[in-house]
Amino acid sequence: MARGALAFQQQQRRRWISLCLLLFFFLHVDVARCFYLPGVAPQDFQLGDELKVKVNKLTSTKTQLPYSYYSLPYCPPEKIVDSAENLGEVLRGDRIENSSYVFKMREPQMCNVLCRVTLNAKTAKAFKEKIDDEYRVNMILDNLPLVVPIRRPDQENSIVYQHGFHVGLRGQYAGSKEEKHFIHNHLTFTVKIHKDPVTELSRIVGFEVRPFSIRHVYDGQWNEKTRLKTCDPHAKALVTNSETPQEVEDKKEIIFTYDVNFEESDVKWASRWDTYLLMADDQIHWFSIVNSLMIVLFLSGMVAMIMLRTLYRDISKYNQLETQEEAQEETGWKLVHGDVFRPPSNPDLLCVYAGTGVQFFGMIVVTMMFAVLGFLSPSNRGGLMTAMLLLWVFMGLFAGYFAARLYKMFKGAEWKKIALKTAFLFPATVFAIFFILNAVIWGQRSSGAVPFGTMFALVFLWFGISVPLVFVGSYVGFRKPAIEDPVKTNKIPRQIPEQAWYMNPAFSILIGGILPFGAVFIELFFILTSIWLQQFYYIFGFLFIVFLILIVTCAEITIVLCYFQLCSEDYLWWWRSYLTSGSSALYLFLYAAFYFFTKLEITKPVSGMLYFGYMLIASYSFFVLTGTIGFYACFWFTRLIYSSVKID
């Protein structure tokens, strides 16, 4: 235990050093290894200790519909026991259960017979469907997922690790054109261990498998003592290839077998996840991210510099005219000072979206902090989603507060009404889409369908915690003194002159969303890949920097376009400031559609519906987040400039 505590402290110290280096932009590909914690406390095993393998869901990138392991007629243990899953795991479709695979630490096993199954028409059809959809079997040993090592043909001594092994494959016999389905019924496991030379205790640092399809042969009638001719360690007949594969057909007999080998490794327990996290990413991806971020930073700096110089000249000119009492007509943005703080159309909706955006912003900031510190690493399955849900619920306090503050500034009097809208508008929309998608998944009998108990827990979090916190925040916010405008508003609205084509609201809004989207679209590729191609996402250090740049770009592009709008004597900036940066969500959804048609192999309508449904929720959330950032940046900017000049 002392050694484990010391290793943990050393790991924490290295993580803090790496985090500081990252914040100063001294980035290197190997730094990414420091952005996670190894997971749970290490477990030491003695010679002969029992190692229990757990099975997880069956997954496919073609259907995006997970199924439980025992939805296929695999060999079950005497009693199937579900492992306790957190909220995030359930929402991800994880179904972790015990299995019949039992190993002994550092005791190799050859040709172990798991069970014998005779297929019928129904079970054969189930296997064939899963093979056609390229489903993979996922297993877990000591919290490590099972991987299949595959050598890359384009690079020597380079290995790519794929999550899980395929249920089976399709192929043809030599000289035949008929395509058959074959099942992987023999597994050769390799458990990599790191052994302490002093105590002789071992820790598991790797879990690999090589699947084979083989038609086992034996003499006589089947019984518990039957010896296989095709897999017999006494006769030195081991499975090394799939030259005589096992067909999947009605009334076919399938014998499931496995081997277990133990291999010593120099990899220490604290670094055992490096193999899983550094899977198929080339260095060119990292350099592309850094290059993109630096370009966006440079553009943002240029915009800020131009903005500050131009605005400083305007304020100096206006104040000088007032000092010299020159009787000149006001021009530019000062001309609309009597209308710029006039309440917008549909102010209640703007207050609701602004408050919800603050809720999102708080959730993401806190989540990022925990993720960068490693508490939400992939080794903690479901931790990221669970943290986001809980933080969203508790951030309802800030949503109500900011919505009520803005509502009172617009001379609103019914704070309960705005609190009710804030508590229900966005969550109800998302929940409705989620409920429809969940019903579709339920119709497919997938394990990805959220059970009734979990659905009840989500509703309880919403109604039992989030809604009361929104009302508390609204009550506190409404009791605060109203925000005073820096200038008085005229009773009669000023007529807005005809605008140039490039100042058309629709055009400027669409243009404004390009730069924020440009700040995230490369990172978005990695995020979509991790979600839909079932890979680990762990580069939270880069993601945190991208998020900071997103904030800067949303704020700057909104301020610049708002400034040009006011200079053209158009004072309707409230909604346009929200939509300017919020329009980046449109580009995000279009990019998601591009990714769907170019990177994914989804062919089923149900799977396509799930993809676009969930990406619609993600885009809607991104709209609320970026729109709120742009709105509050523009709100701060307009108050600043109109309080800096002398207005008669």
Side-chain angles (χ1 to χ4, degrees):
M1 292 300 292
R3 294 176 62 88
L6 180 60
F8 181 81
Q9 292 175 358
Q10 292 175 346
Q11 182 74 6
Q12 285 289 82
R13 193 178 302 112
R14 289 203 307 269
R15 286 175 38 73
W16 278 110
I17 295 174
S18 301
L19 178 59
C20 295
L21 290 176
L22 179 63
L23 293 178
F24 283 99
F25 299 99
F26 290 104
L27 296 177
H28 188 273
V29 63
D30 289 334
V31 176
R33 297 186 182 184
C34 300
F35 284 96
Y36 66 96
L37 291 173
V40 296
Q43 187 172 358
D44 296 314
F45 297 94
Q46 295 180 349
L47 178 66
D49 280 353
E50 192 174 77
L51 307 178
K52 295 183 179 180
V53 178
K54 296 182 179 181
V55 292
N56 200 351
K57 59 188 176 182
L58 307 175
T59 57
S60 169
T61 57
K62 294 185 67 174
T63 68
Q64 302 296 332
L65 292 170
Y67 289 89
S68 66
Y69 177 81
Y70 295 110
S71 62
L72 292 179
Y74 281 118
C75 305
E78 293 183 2
K79 182 181 180 182
I80 299 176
V81 180
D82 294 334
S83 298
E85 290 124 355
N86 58 43
L87 184 59
E89 286 179 304
V90 175
L91 294 178
R92 280 164 27 107
D94 287 344
R95 297 297 182 268
I96 302 175
E97 299 161 313
N98 62 329
S99 74
S100 300
Y101 295 95
V102 180
F103 308 156
K104 300 287 186 179
M105 173 56 76
R106 291 161 50 196
E107 293 183 3
Q109 303 175 35
M110 300 298 168
C111 297
N112 270 18
V113 177
L114 201 63
C115 73
R116 170 178 165 269
V117 175
T118 301
L119 300 181
N120 55 36
K122 182 179 180 181
T123 54
K125 180 183 178 183
F127 269 121
K128 287 181 178 180
E129 288 178 348
K130 295 299 185 292
I131 293 173
D132 287 336
D133 291 332
E134 299 180 6
Y135 270 86
R136 292 175 178 270
V137 178
N138 296 280
M139 297 182 178
I140 301 170
L141 177 64
D142 191 32
N143 201 40
L144 278 180
L146 181 68
V147 293
V148 179
I150 300 175
R151 292 192 176 275
R152 297 184 60 170
D154 56 333
Q155 297 181 13
E156 294 184 2
N157 300 323
S158 179
I159 297 178
V160 176
Y161 292 92
Q162 295 183 352
H163 300 291
F165 63 91
H166 283 109
V167 172
L169 69 158
R170 291 182 300 179
Q172 301 169 343
Y173 288 112
S176 174
K177 294 183 179 180
E178 184 181 3
E179 193 171 54
K180 298 285 187 179
H181 293 80
F182 305 103
I183 186 173
H184 286 138
N185 60 321
H186 180 85
L187 304 176
T188 299
F189 294 102
T190 300
V191 180
K192 294 187 176 182
I193 59 174
H194 182 79
K195 189 169 67 172
D196 191 310
V198 178
T199 62
E200 291 293 319
L201 296 176
S202 302
R203 293 179 178 177
I204 298 174
V205 296
F207 186 33
E208 301 176 0
V209 69
R210 292 176 59 201
F212 298 98
S213 178
I214 181 167
R215 185 174 65 251
H216 285 299
V217 179
Y218 57 91
D219 291 329
Q221 296 293 323
W222 177 264
N223 56 59
E224 295 181 356
K225 297 182 179 180
T226 299
R227 292 176 61 173
L228 301 174
K229 290 184 176 181
T230 47
C231 190
D232 187 356
H234 301 287
K236 296 184 179 180
L238 302 179
V239 178
T240 57
N241 56 60
S242 299
E243 292 181 355
T244 56
Q246 174 64 58
E247 288 186 31
V248 178
E249 293 293 344
D250 184 19
K251 298 180 181 178
K252 286 284 185 180
E253 178 187 73
I254 300 178
I255 299 175
F256 291 92
T257 57
Y258 69 95
D259 303 333
V260 182
N261 299 309
F262 290 88
E263 181 181 308
E264 291 194 25
S265 173
D266 294 330
V267 176
K268 295 184 179 180
W269 187 89
S271 303
R272 66 176 187 165
W273 273 89
D274 290 358
T275 302
Y276 298 85
L277 300 184
L278 299 179
M279 286 197 172
D281 295 335
D282 293 327
Q283 290 189 7
I284 185 70
H285 293 161
W286 301 99
F287 290 127
S288 297
I289 292 174
V290 175
N291 183 56
S292 175
L293 298 184
M294 296 307 293
I295 290 175
V296 172
L297 276 176
F298 175 75
L299 291 176
S300 300
M302 291 290 292
V303 169
M305 186 184 303
I306 294 172
M307 193 68 236
L308 290 174
R309 293 186 63 180
T310 304
L311 187 60
Y312 179 77
R313 186 177 62 246
D314 286 349
I315 293 176
S316 299
K317 182 182 68 175
Y318 290 147
N319 286 337
Q320 187 178 11
L321 290 176
E322 292 296 334
T323 301
Q324 297 177 359
E325 297 182 358
E326 298 178 2
Q328 297 185 15
E329 183 180 359
E330 295 176 345
T331 58
W333 53 267
K334 187 182 178 184
L335 190 62
V336 295
H337 66 83
D339 297 276
V340 71
F341 291 106
R342 187 179 304 280
S345 58
N346 205 347
D348 289 9
L349 186 62
L350 181 61
C351 296
V352 169
Y353 273 119
T356 305
V358 171
Q359 185 177 9
F360 250 113
F361 185 82
M363 177 197 72
I364 291 178
V365 168
V366 179
T367 303
M368 287 281 188
M369 292 172 60
F370 281 104
V372 168
L373 293 176
F375 297 108
L376 303 178
S377 69
S379 60
N380 182 15
R381 276 181 301 273
L384 180 63
M385 187 171 294
T386 303
M388 292 180 69
L389 280 172
L390 294 179
L391 286 172
W392 164 265
V393 168
F394 289 108
M395 289 295 169
L397 185 71
F398 297 97
Y401 178 84
F402 280 89
R405 291 281 287 156
L406 199 60
Y407 177 71
K408 190 172 184 179
M409 190 188 73
F410 291 148
K411 305 298 188 291
E414 301 177 11
W415 68 271
K416 293 181 181 179
K417 181 181 71 173
I418 204 66
L420 193 66
K421 291 181 178 179
T422 305
F424 284 96
L425 180 62
F426 178 84
T429 304
V430 172
F431 189 82
I433 299 174
F434 174 76
F435 186 82
I436 294 173
L437 295 178
N438 191 66
V440 172
I441 299 174
W442 193 277
Q444 299 295 313
R445 298 183 179 180
S446 168
S447 66
V450 177
F452 175 78
T454 305
M455 190 70 74
F456 177 79
L458 293 176
V459 173
F460 173 77
L461 288 174
W462 180 14
F463 284 86
I465 301 178
S466 180
V467 173
L469 286 177
V470 170
F471 271 85
V472 171
S474 298
Y475 175 76
V476 174
F478 198 78
R479 285 179 60 87
K480 292 280 186 178
I483 302 174
E484 298 291 338
D485 297 330
V487 292
K488 294 182 180 180
T489 301
N490 296 333
K491 294 182 179 179
I492 302 177
R494 178 185 177 86
Q495 185 176 1
I496 300 174
E498 185 177 353
Q499 301 293 303
W501 65 270
Y502 53 84
M503 290 305 298
N504 181 274
F507 180 79
S508 62
I509 286 171
L510 291 176
I511 290 296
I514 295 178
L515 190 58
F517 173 74
V520 300
F521 86 96
I522 292 182
E523 195 67 24
L524 184 63
F525 171 82
F526 291 97
I527 296 175
L528 292 178
T529 299
S530 67
I531 295 175
W532 300 108
L533 295 183
Q534 293 157 5
Q535 297 182 10
F536 289 124
Y537 185 86
Y538 66 100
I539 44 178
F540 294 110
F542 283 114
L543 185 62
F544 182 70
I545 294 176
V546 170
F547 180 65
L548 294 179
I549 295 178
L550 175 66
I551 296 173
V552 173
T553 50
C554 285
E556 287 185 342
I557 194 65
T558 307
I559 288 173
V560 169
L561 293 180
C562 180
Y563 173 73
F564 292 154
Q565 177 186 351
L566 295 177
C567 287
S568 61
E569 302 178 16
D570 183 357
Y571 53 84
L572 302 178
W573 63 273
W574 296 96
W575 273 110
R576 193 187 293 194
S577 64
Y578 198 100
L579 297 175
T580 295
S581 54
S583 64
S584 56
L586 174 63
Y587 297 102
L588 187 150
F589 188 79
L590 293 176
Y591 181 80
F594 171 79
Y595 185 88
F596 177 85
F597 291 109
T598 58
K599 299 297 181 181
L600 301 180
E601 299 179 1
I602 294 177
T603 55
K604 293 187 176 181
V606 172
S607 302
M609 179 181 176
L610 294 177
Y611 177 85
F612 284 102
Y614 284 125
M615 290 311 302
L616 180 63
I617 293 176
S619 301
Y620 185 30
S621 304
F622 193 71
F623 164 76
V624 173
L625 173 66
T626 54
T628 301
I629 294 172
F631 169 76
Y632 275 107
C634 195
F635 179 72
W636 167 82
F637 171 74
T638 52
R639 292 181 61 83
L640 179 64
I641 62 174
Y642 283 100
S643 62
S644 300
V645 295
K646 300 175 182 177
I647 305 292
D648 290 336

